[in-house]
Amino acid sequence: MAQPKAIDALLDKLEYSFKDINLLDEALTHRSFAARNNERLEFLGDGVLNFVIAHELFKSYPDVQEGDLSRLRANLVNKESLAEIANHLNLGDVIKLGSGELKSGGFRRPSILADAVESILGAVYCDGGFEPARELIVRLYESRLASPTDLQSLKDPKTQLQELLQSRQFSLPAYEVLEISGKAHAQVFHVRCSIDKLDITVEGKGKSRR
C-alpha cells in the first residue's frame, strides 16, 4: 500500500470505511505493477457508475429525451471528468505503478487516473454493496449533477448542423469523404460538406467523420 497518511487522507475524502482494506489496495494497483490489479474492479465500477448516473439524470431531467440523456451521461462519465475527480482525491499519490509507468508520469495520466476512480467504485460495491457505492458516486458528482449542462454543446457538429437546417426547413447537407489517411488506430478523415440550397461547400479534417 501507499503511505498510511495518504491512504487515510483518501479514505477521509471518500467518506467510506472498508471492511476489507485489501479491496482498496487492489483498486489502486495498476496492471504495470502486478498481475493482480484493478482491471476487474474497474469493469465493475464502470457498470455501477453508468447506472447510478443514468438514474440521477433520469430523476433530474424529467423532460429530456433519451438521446440527450445519453449525451449528458457520457459527458459526466468520460475520462476527463473521472480524471478531475481523481485529482480531487489525489489518487496520483497512492496509485501503485510499475517502474516504467512511474518514469513516464503515469500518476498524472488521465486514463490511469480515470480507471482508478472506477476501480474504487467497484471496490466499494464489492465491500459494502450497492447503496454505499451509490452514495459515494452522488457525493463525488454532487457539483456536476447540480450544475445545468448546455445540451446543445454536447451534440457533435454534424448533428448541430443538421438540426439547424431542419429547423429552417432546408434539406440535409451532402457529405463526401475525400481522403482517409493515417494508421488504422489513428485515422484522419478529410470530408466535404455541401448545402446546395445555400450554395455552401466546406471541407474539414478530423479523427471521425462527424
Side-chain angles (χ1 to χ4, degrees):
M1 291 284 284
Q3 291 297 318
K5 287 185 178 180
I7 294 297
D8 287 342
L10 172 60
L11 290 171
D12 285 343
K13 287 190 174 183
L14 294 176
E15 297 181 38
Y16 181 78
S17 179
F18 279 87
K19 303 179 189 71
D20 182 2
I21 197 65
N22 291 320
L23 282 167
L24 178 60
D25 182 51
E26 185 177 335
L28 297 174
T29 301
H30 187 256
R31 65 176 179 270
S32 64
F33 187 87
R36 184 175 177 80
N37 54 63
N38 64 8
E39 289 185 326
R40 283 173 54 83
L41 288 174
E42 175 205 337
F43 166 78
L44 182 60
D46 174 73
V48 176
L49 174 64
N50 273 276
F51 174 77
V52 171
I53 293 299
H55 185 238
E56 293 300 315
L57 292 174
F58 183 83
K59 291 190 302 180
S60 300
Y61 294 87
D63 299 321
V64 173
Q65 297 302 307
E66 181 272 338
D68 288 330
L69 287 173
S70 294
R71 277 185 279 270
L72 283 169
R73 180 179 60 182
N75 185 59
L76 287 169
V77 303
N78 63 22
K79 178 176 65 178
E80 290 75 18
S81 293
L82 285 165
E84 289 175 4
I85 290 172
N87 286 323
H88 168 70
L89 297 172
N90 295 321
L91 291 189
D93 296 340
V94 293
I95 295 175
K96 296 162 70 173
L97 300 168
S99 58
E101 285 290 353
L102 278 173
K103 290 177 182 176
S104 64
F107 57 92
R108 291 190 299 265
R109 188 167 301 134
S111 59
I112 290 178
L113 293 172
D115 290 348
V117 173
E118 291 182 330
S119 301
I120 289 173
L121 298 178
V124 171
Y125 177 84
C126 288
D127 189 71
F130 176 75
E131 189 56 26
R134 186 197 67 79
E135 291 175 355
L136 174 57
I137 291 167
V138 171
R139 283 198 302 274
L140 293 176
Y141 275 90
E142 183 176 10
S143 61
R144 290 171 170 81
L145 288 169
S147 301
T149 303
D150 179 8
L151 290 169
Q152 190 67 20
S153 69
L154 299 179
K155 296 178 181 179
D156 62 82
K158 181 179 179 182
T159 299
Q160 290 186 49
L161 173 61
Q162 292 185 173
E163 289 185 354
L164 175 63
L165 292 174
Q166 288 175 322
S167 70
R168 299 183 180 182
Q169 299 182 333
F170 290 129
S171 299
L172 294 179
Y175 298 97
E176 180 183 0
V177 178
L178 302 177
E179 181 184 9
I180 301 176
S181 58
K183 296 181 179 179
H185 68 281
Q187 291 183 325
V188 175
F189 298 88
H190 184 184
V191 179
R192 176 183 293 144
C193 173
S194 303
I195 307 173
D196 292 338
K197 192 169 184 179
L198 299 177
D199 195 25
I200 293 175
T201 299
V202 295
E203 296 180 11
K205 291 183 179 181
K207 294 181 180 179
S208 78
R209 289 176 173 85
R210 287 182 179 272

